[in-house]
Amino acid sequence: MSETLDHIASAARTDAPPAILLDKVNKWYGALHVLRDVSLNVALGERVVVCGPSGSGKSTMIRCINRLETHQEGTIKVNGIELSDDLKALDDIRREVGMVFQSFNLFPHLTILENCTLAPIWVRRMPKKEAEELAMHYLTRVRIPEQAKKYPGQLSGGQQQRVAIARALCMKPKIMLFDEPTSALDPEMIKEVLDTMVGLAETGMTMICVTHEMGFARQVADRVVFMDRGEIVEIGEPNHLFENPQTERLKTFLSQILRGH
Amino acid sequence: MSDITLNASAKVAEAAPRSAPISQVGFVGWMRANLFSGWLSTAVTLLLAYMIVRWAIGFVDWAFINAVWSVPNNQTQACRDLRGTGACWAVITEKHRFILFGTYPYEEHWRPALCIALFVGLYIVSAMRRFWRKELALIWVGVLTLIGVLMWGGVLGMPYVPQERWGGLVITLILATFGLALAFPLAILVALGRRSKLPAIKALCVLYVELIRGVPLISLLFMASVMFPLFLPEGMNIDKLLRAQLAIILFAGAYLAEVVRGGLQSLSKGQYEAADALGLSYWQKTGFIILPQALRLVIPPLVNTFIGFFKDTSLVLIIGIFDLLTAGKTAIIEPAWQGFGIEVYLTVGAIYFIFCFAMSKYSQGLEAELNRHRAR
Amino acid sequence: MSQTTIDPRSLRAPPRRPLRLSWSDERVRAIVWQVLVVGIIGAIVWWLWSNTVHNLEVRRIATGFGFLGREAGLPIAENLIPYSPTDTYFRALLIGLLNTLKVAVVGIVLATVFGTLIGIARLSKNWLLSKIAGVYIEVIRDLPLLLQLLFWYAILQGLPGPRQALHPVGGVFLSNRGLKLPWIEWQDAHSYALLAFALGALFTWFYRRDAIRKRILDGRPRPVWPVALGCLLVLPVAIWAAAGAPWTVDWPELRGFNFRGGLNMSPEYFALLLGLTTYTAGFIAEIVRAGILAVPHGQWEAAQALGLRPGQVLKQVVLPQALRVIIPPMTSQYLNITKNSSLAVAIGYQDIVSIANTTLNQTGQAIEGIAIIMLVYLSISLSISLFMNWYNARIALVER
Ligand SMILES: Nc1ncnc2c1ncn2[C@@H]1O[C@H](COP(=O)(O)OP(=O)(O)O)[C@@H](O)[C@H]1O
Ligand SMILES: [Mg+2]
């Protein structure tokens, strides 16, 4: 156990700026305070799993990181670039950060291959041939190269989610955000998506992943963040956190999760 | 291991829920989010607000402050002196009976007025879910007969009034309502025919629907007014109003048929198969299983189509039938009242608007309700 | 037994059931029903037809389209191609058709632009803008078009006469005789320059498409603006200058009781165009709004998260999906504008219906007159639906 801890610690102690920095981030929807003084550092190469009851602000937090939502107080820095109204900075950040949604959000009017090459061609200005090779590379990595010519509607949920992962990877992001990527899937498909994500974690990708899959968290997470009612309640190494919850809230949450599974 | 957050789970100090900065909530927050969220939005808001205020002041000046409400016996000089700076509502004061009832005998105006009330009552009853039963058809037949008796008279001490003297709002309501009532059965037959497996029947229905939908209503009304007399055997003559009514039914039938067909199409195949599996005949299947469901589904688009006919009945103006719009237009033909078209059209427009707006709001509400049902 | 021999039974054609002449045979019923329905409708049509023939004989009306070659003697105020009352009925009807097309085509373009803007305004985050668009849509759709036309016409008629014409900016006059605009005196040089501009626009469009295609292939951006500048501005201006750079503006001027010169838009055309455009825009706005709303929010978010710019999100992701929802109802709105332009007859704009109506009143050829009206509209309707179906199929192909 101490080995893994050393590894994490050294990853965090490098002098490089943290991949993601949230400092006292606050956000409201109208009068609803959805993020309360959220502070979090994610080092380059670190894998963080975020869990917490539904409505606790997990999605809101990671959507603030690529500015699908705007925060109102505090600072968010991605790769040292601060998120603000500056559109140039926003473009840079969106290129560095890939995102996978709960509901896949594949583009139904484009083939799988076109879904993957769209952004490389239009954003990275990559030649089509190169973009297609890249797309095929990642589609092979998520183990569905043979579906490239099909449309999203012709694929199963698990396959669609793997395409969504490949689509995000085609932008060669340095950071990947996952918002409950397996919650919309049938049990037998969850594993294929999780396996893909484990494979991705092994390449050293920086990841923030909202999920309730405990096994996945134990296997790949360097740290687990537990959120409740808009705030980060506990942060810690997964086994430790799950075995020694410090707060009532986490205890209740864990018992509910375990009962649910 | 100095970094405590890394090697042991740590309880993070609890942050109390704070209320949002004052600029985010309440009236100020709402204004900021919805009216002044950026320089462009602010500019648009200010510009629009300025234009609305200016226009509203101008309108109030014209319509109320400077307006003339009545003039003694057709002396419209007071109105003309305004030179467009104020409205001449005197024309409405003077002509409102004519606009509403046309040339119907003055002492008998209570009869068309009662008919208008009956029509409105009929609409309200039909709009209520409680009455969506087979008996509704009987109510319609009863009320429409009663309206016919009231309008014609000749019984119960009511003097007979020939059709040529009917006019105004009641004609608009008659054309639209009778049009719908009679076009509806036709539309159902045509919609069923268009989905039938029998090629000849299908072809006939397609031909009818596409022909009617491909030409303007005016051409059908012209046909009714000039060609129709040629179609009938010598000596047989049909009143002009009835001919226009026939044209409107033919026209409405084609459009309603498409709406009904949409409902038939949106039923799942399982319903047809389940009915077949029960061994029902075609007409049993259609009458007991398919139509009741399909018609419920298409009520909102049916109401929208009805709004369309209600407005389209105004086209009879072109062949000289005395509906609401024609009455309005005729009211200002008299030299004394010439040039006050804007006041008259605004008033007539308000009447049309009340009917159409009520129906359109009703259909929107119904649609939302049906969608909620389906989502559940 | 060899594995490869095919079971002979699997090659057998399905048995043909012999037709039994009995009511319980489905095919007999089908035939009886069809014969019955077609027979009844045929009988009605035949009855109407024989009545008509008889009535025409009694009234001594000759049928046929011979009257088209006769002198029309009916004055037409607005004509796109030369016309005088001594021309034939055929030419008069042709003028009417052109007038219909003139108002329908311009109306379609304006209503599309205006309606799209209102539909987008309805979706705006600005509450005031969205509410105003909403009120506009609701009010305009709940009033009969004919009433709106009469209203606009009444307003135009209520304007002061030419002598006191409204005069918002130099050269523009709005009076009860219509709208007068300054216009350049048209010469050949202008036609050449316009032609060069049109060809240039076409070329620029193709060039841009090609540039994007090549950019996608090899990733190297190719600027389009130099070509656009050259084709759209430099070349037309050069041609115009080479042809002597004629530039005489024809200003409308008050002469006696009316205006001379300039471009004239009659009050009838103006009212009709205004009414058709504002009315149909209300419907188009709703169609556009529904189309954009039909694209789920997740699609916008996913495209943004991939780093696409707002313009690219719209062009690459949202529009292709929204258009699929928008185009079919849009087609029927275009058909509606065309059919509704027939209301021209109520305010005295001489479109095909108005002229055919006059024709049938003058000649008594009721059947032919109405047949012409219907034929014209049916062919316009058919052309628009064919074009739209083709376009729809093209768009659908991109999808699946
Ligand atoms: N667009 C929105 N407008 C208003 N409230 C929202 C919106 N999105 C989320 N919320 C609210 O913010 C809170 C946090 O939501 P979310 O971040 O989606 O929670 P989680 O992902 O943890 O389930 C919830 O109470 C939710 O209802
Ligand atoms: Mg969530």
Side-chain angles (χ1 to χ4, degrees):
Chain A
M1 178 168 154
S2 92
E3 247 180 47
T4 45
L5 283 183
D6 276 347
H7 158 74
I8 304 161
S10 63
R13 277 199 210 103
T14 48
D15 293 329
I20 300 171
L21 180 148
L22 282 83
D23 187 25
K24 294 215 177 277
V25 173
N26 278 284
K27 175 166 179 65
W28 289 263
Y29 282 119
L32 184 67
H33 200 174
V34 280
L35 292 183
R36 300 177 192 171
D37 281 343
V38 169
S39 299
L40 181 70
N41 276 4
V42 180
L44 207 61
E46 201 183 352
R47 271 109 30 198
V48 173
V49 161
V50 181
C51 63
S54 153
S56 56
K58 308 179 297 289
S59 300
T60 311
M61 180 180 81
I62 69 166
R63 288 155 60 87
C64 279
I65 293 173
N66 68 350
R67 216 169 169 73
L68 286 177
E69 304 285 354
T70 51
H71 60 287
Q72 288 135 353
E73 274 181 22
T75 34
I76 301 180
K77 283 187 182 171
V78 177
N79 273 342
I81 310 169
E82 178 165 356
L83 284 179
S84 63
D85 290 332
D86 181 11
L87 290 176
K88 179 78 181 57
L90 182 63
D91 279 348
D92 289 343
I93 286 161
R94 293 244 170 100
R95 284 177 201 199
E96 301 301 330
V97 181
M99 181 153 184
V100 175
F101 300 84
Q102 179 176 353
S103 50
F104 327 141
N105 292 348
L106 293 182
F107 306 130
H109 61 297
L110 301 177
T111 62
I112 300 308
L113 190 63
E114 287 166 345
N115 262 281
C116 294
T117 56
L118 182 76
I121 288 177
W122 291 99
V123 181
R124 290 242 187 261
R125 313 243 148 206
M126 206 181 266
K128 187 171 179 197
K129 199 135 170 284
E130 210 176 294
E132 284 180 348
E133 277 162 13
L134 185 72
M136 286 314 290
H137 169 74
Y138 284 113
L139 285 174
T140 315
R141 267 217 6 222
V142 301
R143 297 193 305 279
I144 31 176
E146 69 284 355
Q147 313 280 6
K149 293 282 176 251
K150 288 195 183 164
Y151 285 90
Q154 297 163 297
L155 267 53
S156 75
Q159 289 174 323
Q160 289 195 38
Q161 193 60 296
R162 284 186 282 153
V163 172
I165 295 174
R167 176 176 76 175
L169 290 177
C170 282
M171 283 297 285
K172 299 201 176 148
K174 302 215 172 61
I175 300 164
M176 284 284 282
L177 307 175
F178 293 84
D179 190 358
E180 306 205 23
T182 54
S183 314
L185 296 177
D186 293 339
E188 72 269 23
M189 294 174 186
I190 291 179
K191 189 171 175 306
E192 62 185 58
V193 172
L194 287 180
D195 286 349
T196 311
M197 289 166 63
V198 171
L200 188 61
E202 280 161 4
T203 65
M205 171 75 73
T206 313
M207 291 164 61
I208 297 188
C209 183
V210 177
T211 182
H212 293 160
E213 296 293 335
M214 296 302 194
F216 175 78
R218 282 175 201 268
Q219 195 180 348
V220 306
D222 297 321
R223 282 190 291 164
V224 172
V225 171
F226 171 65
M227 287 186 76
D228 188 25
R229 283 181 245 148
E231 54 194 342
I232 294 184
V233 179
E234 287 191 42
I235 301 184
E237 186 271 330
N239 289 324
H240 196 271
L241 189 100
F242 293 149
E243 262 120 56
N244 298 308
Q246 305 280 307
T247 52
E248 270 315 305
R249 296 203 228 170
L250 180 52
K251 276 179 202 156
T252 336
F253 174 70
L254 287 175
S255 67
Q256 278 166 352
I257 289 280
L258 292 179
R259 217 183 310 130
H261 279 256
Chain B
M1 301 265 166
S2 54
D3 197 347
I4 185 160
T5 58
L6 284 178
N7 51 24
S9 68
K11 196 180 151 199
V12 179
E14 200 171 311
R18 266 194 292 137
S19 56
I22 186 67
S23 62
Q24 308 284 340
V25 285
F27 184 64
V28 181
W30 183 88
M31 296 265 283
R32 256 185 76 119
N34 296 305
L35 292 175
F36 305 103
S37 57
W39 64 267
L40 186 65
S41 174
T42 307
V44 168
T45 305
L46 292 180
L47 185 73
L48 287 176
Y50 171 75
M51 289 190 337
I52 291 178
V53 168
R54 264 202 61 164
W55 180 84
I57 291 175
F59 182 78
V60 168
D61 267 351
W62 177 82
F64 301 105
I65 297 178
N66 295 337
V68 172
W69 296 90
S70 63
V71 291
N73 31 345
N74 290 358
Q75 297 298 308
T76 51
Q77 200 49 45
C79 281
R80 302 209 181 275
D81 291 341
L82 292 172
R83 293 177 174 279
T85 58
C88 178
W89 297 119
V91 63
I92 305 300
T93 317
E94 179 70 25
K95 298 281 189 186
H96 70 276
R97 286 271 196 138
F98 181 77
I99 293 173
L100 284 178
F101 305 120
T103 52
Y104 209 84
Y106 193 86
E107 315 72 52
E108 305 290 328
H109 276 181
W110 62 272
R111 281 156 57 183
L114 188 59
C115 287
I116 292 171
L118 280 172
F119 274 122
V120 173
L122 189 62
Y123 298 156
I124 292 176
V125 166
S126 313
M128 286 195 286
R129 224 154 233 267
R130 240 177 318 144
F131 292 98
W132 289 0
R133 278 183 271 124
K134 298 228 163 59
E135 292 78 17
L136 189 60
L138 287 180
I139 298 184
W140 272 67
V141 172
V143 172
L144 293 187
T145 321
L146 185 60
I147 285 171
V149 170
L150 272 172
M151 288 302 288
W152 264 299
V155 288
L156 301 174
M158 292 184 292
Y160 172 74
V161 179
Q163 230 158 293
E164 293 82 55
R165 302 205 54 185
W166 303 4
L169 177 58
V170 81
I171 290 282
T172 297
L173 293 173
I174 286 176
L175 285 173
T177 315
F178 281 84
L180 179 79
L182 295 169
F184 196 55
L186 173 71
I188 291 178
L189 286 180
V190 172
L192 289 174
R194 207 172 163 170
R195 283 174 62 81
S196 137
K197 289 190 204 75
L198 313 178
I201 291 180
K202 187 171 174 171
L204 272 177
C205 293
V206 171
L207 191 70
Y208 162 69
V209 170
E210 296 306 327
L211 264 185
I212 299 279
R213 280 161 31 108
V215 300
L217 174 57
I218 287 211
S219 62
L220 291 180
L221 289 174
F222 275 143
M223 195 159 121
S225 85
V226 298
M227 247 164 94
F228 213 92
L230 293 176
F231 285 162
L232 295 178
E234 260 190 296
M236 191 169 153
N237 208 354
I238 300 190
D239 175 82
K240 196 167 175 184
L241 183 63
L242 195 58
R243 281 184 270 150
Q245 181 75 77
L246 274 175
I248 286 180
I249 291 171
L250 274 182
F251 179 76
Y255 282 82
L256 287 176
E258 285 300 276
V259 175
V260 174
R261 189 165 72 105
L264 293 174
Q265 254 161 357
S266 65
L267 276 196
S268 75
K269 222 173 147 192
Q271 293 295 319
Y272 290 88
E273 285 168 358
D276 281 335
L278 286 175
L280 299 180
S281 78
Y282 175 80
W283 292 110
Q284 286 170 331
K285 179 172 79 173
T286 309
F288 298 145
I289 315 280
I290 306 304
L291 276 183
Q293 297 187 58
L295 293 185
R296 247 159 215 274
L297 284 180
V298 295
I299 290 175
L302 272 181
V303 178
N304 288 339
T305 319
F306 183 63
I307 297 175
F309 298 142
F310 192 82
K311 293 185 293 175
D312 281 344
T313 55
S314 61
L315 264 62
V316 297
L317 175 139
I318 293 166
I319 56 169
I321 285 173
F322 234 82
D323 76 327
L324 178 60
L325 186 57
T326 318
K329 196 174 179 230
T330 317
I332 46 171
I333 279 184
E334 207 179 309
W337 295 105
Q338 257 172 23
F340 300 115
I342 293 174
E343 288 85 346
V344 169
Y345 293 137
L346 280 180
T347 311
V348 171
I351 297 176
Y352 276 109
F353 182 78
I354 291 170
F355 279 94
C356 294
F357 184 72
M359 287 190 276
S360 119
K361 274 281 160 278
Y362 169 73
S363 129
Q364 282 165 19
L366 204 60
E367 199 156 7
E369 199 177 321
L370 283 177
N371 281 342
R372 231 177 303 130
H373 261 317
R374 239 171 286 166
R376 234 181 271 143
Chain C
M1 258 231 305
S2 147
Q3 288 275 308
T4 48
T5 31
I6 300 161
D7 184 349
R9 275 172 303 175
S10 70
L11 286 176
R12 214 149 53 85
R16 289 177 67 90
R17 274 190 303 132
L19 196 62
R20 270 186 311 133
L21 282 179
S22 129
W23 186 236
S24 59
D25 189 311
E26 200 184 348
R27 283 166 297 168
V28 172
R29 283 197 201 190
I31 291 171
V32 171
W33 272 113
Q34 295 187 65
V35 168
L36 203 69
V37 171
V38 174
I40 292 174
I41 299 209
I44 295 175
V45 170
W46 181 83
W47 182 68
L48 294 177
W49 180 248
S50 57
N51 283 340
T52 311
V53 170
H54 177 75
N55 282 327
L56 288 176
E57 264 171 28
V58 171
R59 297 178 199 191
R60 298 181 194 290
I61 302 176
T63 50
F65 288 91
F67 72 96
L68 285 178
R70 293 212 301 267
E71 186 183 311
L74 91 137
I76 302 179
E78 279 174 81
N79 38 293
L80 282 176
I81 55 171
Y83 171 82
S84 78
T86 50
D87 283 327
T88 59
Y89 276 116
F90 180 75
R91 196 166 177 88
L93 288 164
L94 187 64
I95 303 281
L97 175 60
L98 287 176
N99 281 345
T100 292
L101 291 178
K102 180 168 103 175
V103 77
V105 170
V106 179
I108 284 175
V109 173
L110 290 181
T112 308
V113 173
F114 193 43
T116 308
L117 290 179
I118 296 173
I120 293 172
R122 181 83 184 90
L123 290 170
S124 158
K125 285 208 189 84
N126 186 311
W127 180 85
L128 192 61
L129 186 60
S130 156
K131 263 281 168 296
I132 291 179
V135 168
Y136 173 86
I137 293 171
E138 189 69 64
V139 170
I140 212 93
R141 299 198 315 167
D142 281 344
L143 294 172
L145 174 60
L146 187 57
L147 176 89
Q148 297 187 34
L149 290 180
L150 292 174
F151 176 79
W152 294 124
Y153 194 54
I155 286 195
L156 289 180
Q157 297 257 293
L159 288 174
R163 281 160 177 280
Q164 289 89 36
L166 300 179
H167 190 206
V169 279
V172 177
F173 296 93
L174 190 61
S175 70
N176 59 10
R177 302 291 174 88
L179 182 68
K180 309 280 165 183
L181 299 166
W183 191 240
I184 46 175
E185 236 164 59
W186 201 257
Q187 292 181 12
D188 283 350
H190 296 122
S191 302
Y192 295 142
L194 193 67
L195 190 69
F197 180 83
L199 289 178
L202 205 66
F203 180 77
T204 310
W205 188 69
F206 277 112
Y207 181 83
R208 180 172 166 275
R209 229 172 62 154
D210 196 53
I212 291 176
R213 195 179 53 83
K214 285 196 183 131
R215 215 273 294 135
I216 289 175
L217 281 183
D218 67 5
R220 272 193 296 122
R222 291 173 176 72
V224 178
W225 67 264
V227 176
L229 189 73
C231 289
L232 297 180
L233 196 68
V234 178
L235 193 68
V237 169
I239 287 180
W240 170 70
W247 183 254
T248 351
V249 177
D250 185 10
W251 296 94
E253 261 182 285
L254 191 64
R255 290 272 163 76
F257 290 109
N258 207 347
F259 288 98
R260 288 274 174 74
L263 192 70
N264 177 28
M265 204 188 259
S266 70
E268 290 79 20
Y269 180 74
F270 195 41
L272 185 62
L273 190 62
L274 192 64
L276 281 177
T277 304
T278 49
Y279 183 74
T280 315
F283 290 85
I284 289 182
E286 272 299 278
I287 293 171
V288 168
R289 185 177 85 103
I292 293 179
L293 284 182
V295 181
H297 198 61
Q299 294 285 313
W300 294 80
E301 289 187 339
Q304 280 173 354
L306 283 171
L308 295 180
R309 296 266 174 76
Q312 293 171 330
V313 175
L314 212 61
K315 170 108 200 298
Q316 304 292 336
V317 175
V318 175
L319 276 188
Q321 297 182 54
L323 282 182
R324 192 179 50 180
V325 182
I326 288 177
I327 285 179
M330 200 75 135
T331 312
S332 56
Q333 285 310 317
Y334 290 168
L335 288 177
N336 280 350
I337 277 205
T338 314
K339 286 187 280 174
N340 284 337
S341 71
S342 61
L343 297 189
V345 63
I347 54 173
Y349 175 73
Q350 286 168 306
D351 76 326
I352 179 76
V353 171
S354 161
I355 290 181
N357 191 33
T358 318
T359 304
L360 74 87
N361 282 337
Q362 286 183 0
T363 58
Q365 307 277 358
I367 297 179
E368 291 81 354
I370 286 165
I372 287 173
I373 297 178
M374 291 194 162
L375 217 65
V376 163
Y377 280 102
L378 277 178
S379 20
I380 295 177
S381 298
L382 206 64
S383 333
I384 293 186
S385 356
L386 282 181
F387 173 77
M388 280 300 179
N389 281 347
W390 168 81
Y391 183 71
N392 223 356
R394 227 185 61 134
I395 281 212
L397 260 189
V398 183
E399 286 152 26
R400 198 160 301 181

